[in-house]
Amino acid sequence: MDTSERINLALEMIARGDPRFADYFQSLRKDDPLAFSLVEIDLLVSRSEPSLAIKKGARVLPLVGDNPRLARFLFMRLGTAYRLMGEMRASENHFTRALEIAERMGNKSAASRARLNLFYNKFCRAEYDSLREDLLKYRKEFAPPEIYGLDHLLAMHNIVAGRPEAALRALDSIIEATEALGNPGFWQGAFEMKGVALRLVGKLHEAKEAFMTAVQRYLDLGSAYAAFPLAKALELSRLANLEFPPDGLIRKCLEYAERGSWGEMAAAREIKALLADDSAETIRGLYESAESYHRAYQNIEAIFAGLTSAYLAWQTESAFFLKSVKLLAPLIPLHQGFKRDPILGRFLEGLEMFLVRVDEKRRPGIMASLIGGFRVFVGGREISLRSWHNDRAIMALLYLLLSPKHRLPKDHLFYLLWPNSRYNPRTKHRLHVAVSLIRKNLGDPSLLISSRDFYQLENAWTDLEEIENLIRRAEASQSSDEKGECLARARELARGELLPEFLYDQQVDEYRQYYERLRKRLFGE
């Protein structure tokens, strides 16, 4: 039995809950250390420990270079790990590598799985129009079970675009087909999205039943994701005066969610907010959960939680009304289908008069040039990075600026800066020193916040991020003039190389590969 076969056996044992797995897993440590490491990375990803999975993956990567099957396996797991952290650019790099290997091997099923993950990343980034074109283009190349994942994404796109009836037909077909196969992969998600579609067509009791079916089945799998459909069920219960889910089930979902990734923790925050008796606490909690959903690329959840926060804030004249509107401003134009919601659709239409482009109304606190050379400005004043005399603080700032939403888990940031050290109470003071120096040199400590297990730059802008936004606006625009203007501005920004002074940094190289793909889209190179 070779390494690939040992890994497959381990995954099969995990899938069927084989009690012998623990002993088999430990035997791999001695018999096949590489298989042990790759299965360990898979387990870390499934347990929502992406930072540690990425750290271990970086060590294993040189060992799989001459084995395409193992390399593809690792790239797929690392792509998922980066997505769990909201690192969509790095995630795309790894799924693309997995796709290239699968295509070279002639493995159509593996290629479909990699492509499906790339499509899902597009959905998370709200690149809906481009995504629909891709889904329709590649649909003929997909076969079961991957075809059900592609159809699930098409159904989600129909929901966002205001076609819930079409989504319902597709989701019922997916549920029927995957139930017959006994494949739960897309099954639970289909029930959750069916609940959203049923809500949009006004079948609120049926919508709640669909959400609760998804909750129970995710709990049966031991998945922290159960908090997502539960939060949606509670929204309906609160807004439509339906019966609340059982307390025991809520407690179990919250217990699982606390061990999950950022998305599950955002769902837990929303659940607690919806259960609060105090309306001010509910509004604040909903706003904070919407903010966290948005940072975790959970846009549907961000819309519903933010809209509920704005609605309740409007009713009570809370200051969170304007905060919620600002949060929703970039999302609402991309989610016009939610105007069909029988509970909040009219309120959503009325909000549009308040919507303003936040980036046009407020000057960023931090502006960073990454293309053509690394330069940082705060309040219009350039910060002299050379005067810091601390390379790790500079790199920490750079990694935060590169990261989508400018947010990184503390342990992952530590591993990027000190890849050969363990992150623990004894060593994490090194990170505190670097962060303190960044805050001091930025001149405004509020521009770099610490929240739970991550650091985040507030009110930051980069030219790389602006290129992404311009491409997204161009693809979504119905005006040829606006499309041309956006693409022209993006091409002007993309004339230079990304961070040419950091040629040998692995993290920077991840983004350099992503940037080159953006340039190909812009210039057709």
Side-chain angles (χ1 to χ4, degrees):
M1 189 180 293
D2 64 16
T3 297
S4 292
E5 292 169 331
R6 291 188 179 102
I7 292 171
N8 289 335
L9 176 58
L11 297 182
E12 290 170 8
M13 294 174 78
I14 293 169
R16 64 175 181 259
D18 193 322
R20 297 170 295 174
F21 169 72
D23 291 336
Y24 176 70
F25 181 51
Q26 289 307 316
S27 72
L28 289 179
R29 188 192 293 269
K30 180 181 67 173
D31 299 338
D32 192 336
L34 181 55
F36 175 85
S37 295
L38 290 168
V39 173
E40 183 183 29
I41 290 166
D42 180 82
L43 290 171
L44 289 168
V45 172
S46 66
R47 293 169 183 166
S48 292
E49 297 183 60
S51 297
L52 195 51
I54 289 167
K55 178 184 179 182
K56 290 181 178 293
R59 293 179 178 175
V60 173
L61 196 55
L63 306 178
V64 300
D66 59 349
N67 189 317
R69 284 195 184 122
L70 299 183
R72 179 179 57 79
F73 178 92
L74 180 57
F75 286 142
M76 289 292 287
R77 269 59 183 179
L78 291 178
T80 304
Y82 277 113
R83 182 165 62 206
L84 285 172
M85 295 196 305
E87 286 281 320
M88 306 305 286
R89 299 161 185 161
S91 174
E92 181 177 315
N93 285 344
H94 285 83
F95 287 134
T96 299
R97 293 174 192 170
L99 174 61
E100 290 168 351
I101 293 172
E103 288 180 333
R104 286 200 302 270
M105 294 173 64
N107 188 330
K108 291 184 179 180
S109 178
S112 293
R113 287 195 296 275
R115 202 179 293 282
L116 188 60
N117 275 281
L118 287 166
F119 292 160
Y120 183 68
N121 280 12
K122 268 197 170 186
F123 185 87
C124 291
R125 293 198 302 267
E127 296 178 4
Y128 298 132
D129 290 343
S130 172
L131 171 65
R132 183 173 178 81
E133 291 177 11
D134 287 341
L135 294 176
L136 295 175
K137 175 183 176 182
Y138 286 100
R139 193 178 188 283
K140 291 181 180 179
E141 297 183 13
F142 277 61
E146 288 79 25
I147 187 65
Y148 305 127
L150 186 143
D151 285 345
H152 185 250
L153 275 173
L154 272 171
M156 291 167 70
H157 183 279
N158 280 328
I159 288 171
V160 168
R163 297 185 289 267
E165 295 86 359
L168 281 171
R169 290 192 294 272
L171 291 164
D172 282 336
S173 296
I174 292 168
I175 290 168
E176 182 180 353
T178 54
E179 255 186 322
L181 287 173
N183 182 342
F186 308 111
W187 182 9
Q188 283 43 266
F191 275 110
E192 182 188 10
M193 285 301 107
K194 182 177 179 179
V196 176
L198 286 166
R199 170 175 169 166
L200 293 182
V201 299
K203 297 181 179 180
L204 303 186
H205 286 278
E206 293 178 45
K208 187 191 166 191
E209 288 177 11
F211 290 139
M212 294 309 299
T213 299
V215 170
Q216 190 56 61
R217 296 193 178 188
Y218 277 120
L219 287 178
D220 290 344
L221 292 173
S223 172
Y225 190 87
F228 276 83
L230 178 62
K232 293 179 177 69
L234 279 169
E235 279 177 11
L236 272 184
S237 299
R238 179 95 183 216
L239 293 171
N241 295 315
L242 304 180
E243 183 180 357
F244 271 40
D247 290 343
L249 184 141
I250 292 172
R251 285 195 298 271
K252 193 171 183 180
C253 282
L254 288 173
E255 179 187 345
Y256 282 22
E258 292 299 333
R259 303 197 301 265
S261 64
W262 291 346
E264 284 85 7
M265 286 189 272
R269 182 72 184 97
E270 182 181 9
I271 290 167
K272 292 174 184 176
L274 290 164
L275 293 173
D277 293 326
D278 181 71
S279 61
E281 185 179 343
T282 295
I283 292 165
R284 175 188 291 274
L286 285 168
Y287 171 78
E288 291 175 351
S289 66
E291 198 174 36
S292 295
Y293 279 136
H294 184 42
R295 289 169 177 164
Y297 288 89
Q298 303 291 342
N299 294 314
I300 289 177
E301 289 73 15
I303 282 276
F304 277 120
L307 195 56
T308 306
S309 173
Y311 176 68
L312 297 177
W314 174 69
Q315 287 185 321
T316 59
E317 299 184 354
S318 165
F320 275 92
F321 173 73
L322 286 179
K323 287 186 176 182
S324 298
V325 170
K326 286 183 179 180
L327 176 65
L328 292 169
L331 294 174
I332 288 177
L334 300 172
H335 298 82
Q336 292 293 303
F338 293 152
K339 289 181 181 178
R340 292 196 56 177
D341 183 53
I343 305 173
L344 298 175
R346 242 178 224 187
F347 177 72
L348 176 56
E349 286 183 342
L351 277 185
E352 289 192 312
M353 71 175 68
F354 294 97
L355 297 183
V356 293
R357 290 193 57 78
V358 176
D359 55 343
E360 293 174 0
K361 290 288 183 180
R362 184 178 64 179
R363 184 181 181 85
I366 303 172
M367 297 187 72
S369 169
L370 306 177
I371 299 166
F374 186 33
R375 299 176 69 190
V376 178
F377 301 81
V378 176
R381 177 179 62 88
E382 184 167 6
I383 302 298
S384 173
L385 297 171
R386 289 184 180 180
S387 66
W388 288 23
H389 304 299
N390 187 313
D391 290 342
R392 291 232 164 74
I394 293 172
M395 294 309 297
L397 176 62
L398 176 59
Y399 294 147
L400 285 163
L401 286 165
L402 279 170
S403 178
K405 310 290 174 69
H406 311 300
R407 175 188 196 187
L408 283 173
K410 293 177 180 177
D411 57 347
H412 183 54
L413 183 56
F414 179 89
Y415 293 143
L416 288 174
L417 297 170
W418 293 279
N420 297 318
S421 298
R422 289 181 178 274
Y423 181 70
N424 56 42
R426 186 175 59 82
T427 60
K428 65 182 181 181
H429 75 279
R430 303 178 195 170
L431 190 56
H432 294 164
V433 171
V435 168
S436 296
L437 183 59
I438 294 172
R439 286 174 172 152
K440 176 184 175 183
N441 284 290
L442 292 179
D444 182 356
S446 68
L447 292 174
L448 175 50
I449 66 168
S450 169
S451 179
R452 291 189 62 155
D453 59 350
F454 64 86
Y455 285 118
Q456 176 166 334
L457 294 173
E458 295 281 89
N459 197 15
W461 176 99
T462 70
D463 45 9
L464 177 60
E465 188 175 44
E466 183 68 6
I467 292 170
E468 290 178 309
N469 291 334
L470 288 167
I471 292 174
R472 190 177 298 115
R473 285 172 56 189
E475 291 177 344
S477 176
Q478 302 301 311
S479 164
S480 58
D481 289 343
E482 183 185 12
K483 187 188 294 285
E485 181 183 348
C486 287
L487 291 176
R489 288 168 58 192
R491 290 185 184 111
E492 187 62 32
L493 287 171
R495 293 292 177 188
E497 299 301 315
L498 182 72
L499 297 167
E501 63 269 65
F502 297 94
L503 291 177
Y504 304 106
D505 184 276
Q506 183 176 346
Q507 182 74 353
V508 172
D509 192 53
E510 292 285 349
Y511 289 95
R512 189 173 289 117
Q513 293 174 50
Y514 173 78
Y515 173 63
E516 288 306 315
R517 285 198 295 275
L518 285 182
R519 283 171 55 88
K520 286 181 180 178
R521 289 168 67 180
L522 286 170
F523 298 107
E525 296 173 355

